[in-house]
Amino acid sequence: MIHSRIAGLGRYVPEGVLTNADLERMVATSDQWIVDRTGIRERHVAAPHETTSTLALRAARIALGRARLEPEDLDLVIASTTTPDGLFPSVASLVQDGLGARRAGAFDVNAACMGFMSALATATQFIGAGSARRVLVIGAEVLSRIVNWEDRGTCVLFGDGAGALVLEASAFGGPLSFVLHSDGARAKQLYAEGPCGPRDGDGNGPSECYIHMDGPAIFKFAVHAMTEAVRETLASARLGPGDIDLLVPHQANLRIIQGVAKALGLPPERAMVNVQKYGNTSSASIPMALCEAAEEGRLDEGARVALCGFGGGLAWGSMLLEWSTTGVAPEGGGTRGVLAPAHRGGE
Ligand code: COA
């Protein structure tokens, strides 16, 4: 069986920061309301010249450099986003070009906030089938461009950012099991219209493509759906919640994260939380959180990591990983691992 380990991780957020105090000046809200209901204190917002692909490229270069790989080593680039630079070409193609990954194929996936895990599951299958050895998987968003900045019910929640990882064929480690679910009948609980949507009698589509959301319905759904998805991946790996060393959930709301940890019987500190700094970055949230967990030294060799997510679709799922920085023998005896200093193609 071909395993696939994470050879390098990277993340990038734009420099611009929007605090809760800034939002108090924009809509009828308060720092206390936002912190109490969501745990979010600030989020990053892209500058006018930045796009999803420019953020993605920054994160990708870091991941590639830490993996000590050249762009030509990549067989495939998969990017997950709900906010592509354009309808086409794909963000993955733009990153492939920006890196100079001449041998790599490239395509995007869109499963809203579940997009990154869908992309990672796809990459795992490519490697498991022997169709690719090294796949760059990216989650990147400029959600600030599809947020209605006059709607206090949504604008306080979201932020911009990018996370990336290189998945590489290995002897052991990597994804142990995953589940992906969808219930398209609940599409209207969380959606953003696009330029190709239905026309009215005069032939006009929506003038603005904003995020619409039934917050309380999504909240209840999220805790239950993520908890059950983690249980499913544990069961198929013949493991239990006590075997989880770190839970890395989609970073949408601190109370949702705490609710999932509690339902699984995990102490709060076993869940990775960085939503306070970035808000909900959709596709980018899980790879950014995983990268930050690795940077903080929270992932030991052999650690079992449970990823879980939910979002528009509605879509939800989980992936169980065995953390290994040594799934492939070091080449040339040097340090090789997810956080090794980036020395080629990195920053
Ligand atoms: N500031 C102040 N008050 C706000 C507010 C804001 N930013 N947004 C909503 N409110 C108000 C509401 O208007 C409502 O007022 P009312 O009681 O007078 O009608 C009150 O706060 C409670 O609103 P409610 O929506 O019931 O709050 P909540 O406790 O459910 O929290 C969310 C709202 C959005 C934080 C919460 O439902 C949530 O996080 N849901 C999940 C959303 C999510 O994760 N989406 C992305 C999925 S990928």
Side-chain angles (χ1 to χ4, degrees):
M1 177 184 170
I2 307 174
H3 288 256
S4 45
R5 70 169 201 125
I6 295 171
L9 280 159
R11 63 192 173 99
Y12 179 77
V13 286
E15 278 178 19
V17 174
L18 190 71
T19 64
N20 291 350
D22 296 327
L23 283 164
E24 284 178 355
R25 291 186 282 275
M26 295 162 63
V27 288
T29 191
S30 67
D31 174 55
Q32 190 177 349
W33 190 96
I34 302 171
V35 172
D36 287 352
R37 303 289 177 114
T38 73
I40 300 167
R41 293 182 182 276
E42 59 187 32
R43 68 288 293 145
H44 290 248
V45 175
H49 67 277
E50 291 179 302
T51 62
T52 291
S53 73
T54 67
L55 305 187
L57 187 57
R58 301 288 286 255
R61 285 201 170 114
I62 295 167
L64 202 60
R66 284 174 169 170
R68 300 198 166 205
L69 293 171
E70 299 289 355
E72 291 83 0
D73 295 328
L74 294 172
D75 300 309
L76 187 61
V77 179
I78 309 177
S80 159
T81 186
T82 53
T83 50
D85 299 23
L87 291 179
F88 60 86
S90 67
V91 167
S93 283
L94 297 173
V95 172
Q96 175 265 322
D97 176 56
L99 289 173
R102 281 183 288 272
R103 291 180 44 254
F107 60 86
D108 285 1
V109 301
N110 177 350
C113 300
M114 262 297 289
F116 180 79
M117 245 190 308
S118 307
L120 188 56
T122 307
T124 303
Q125 300 296 83
F126 264 90
I127 291 176
S131 309
R133 281 192 62 75
R134 290 178 177 124
V135 185
L136 174 65
V137 189
I138 303 165
E141 303 282 2
V142 285
L143 294 175
S144 59
R145 307 250 160 96
I146 59 164
V147 160
N148 178 353
W149 290 105
E150 293 175 0
D151 174 16
R152 69 177 183 172
T154 53
C155 75
V156 303
L157 301 177
F158 298 99
D160 300 340
L165 61 80
V166 179
L167 202 67
E168 179 177 56
S170 65
F172 52 86
L176 301 173
S177 58
F178 65 82
V179 290
L180 306 177
H181 291 294
S182 171
D183 180 4
R186 299 176 71 171
K188 283 292 175 192
Q189 290 180 358
L190 179 58
Y191 69 97
E193 286 157 331
C196 304
R199 313 280 97 177
D200 63 19
D202 298 324
N204 299 314
S207 55
E208 306 275 10
C209 303
Y210 290 144
I211 297 172
H212 300 270
M213 182 183 79
D214 178 347
I218 296 291
F219 190 104
K220 270 187 240 141
F221 158 79
V223 175
H224 178 72
M226 284 201 287
T227 304
E228 289 311 306
V230 172
R231 288 191 197 286
E232 281 181 73
T233 51
L234 286 167
S236 55
R238 295 196 168 79
L239 296 169
D243 295 307
I244 297 174
D245 295 300
L246 189 68
L247 181 71
V248 182
H250 173 43
Q251 305 286 308
N253 182 316
L254 178 61
R255 289 187 299 142
I256 292 175
I257 295 169
Q258 289 171 338
V260 176
K262 190 171 171 204
L264 290 169
L266 300 176
E269 63 275 12
R270 219 170 292 169
M272 179 64 197
V273 176
N274 64 7
V275 70
Q276 71 281 5
K277 294 187 284 187
Y278 308 118
N280 179 346
T281 57
S282 189
S283 281
S285 98
I286 290 177
M288 282 183 12
L290 191 62
C291 183
E292 198 163 322
E295 287 168 358
E296 289 174 359
R298 296 182 69 174
L299 297 169
D300 295 327
E301 184 71 16
R304 296 216 173 92
V305 184
L307 313 180
C308 57
F310 70 98
L314 299 180
W316 69 102
S318 170
M319 180 180 277
L320 194 64
L321 295 168
E322 188 176 273
W323 190 255
S324 175
T325 56
T326 58
V328 176
E331 288 159 359
T335 313
R336 182 184 164 90
V338 281
L339 297 173
H343 78 140
R344 287 187 304 190
E347 299 187 348

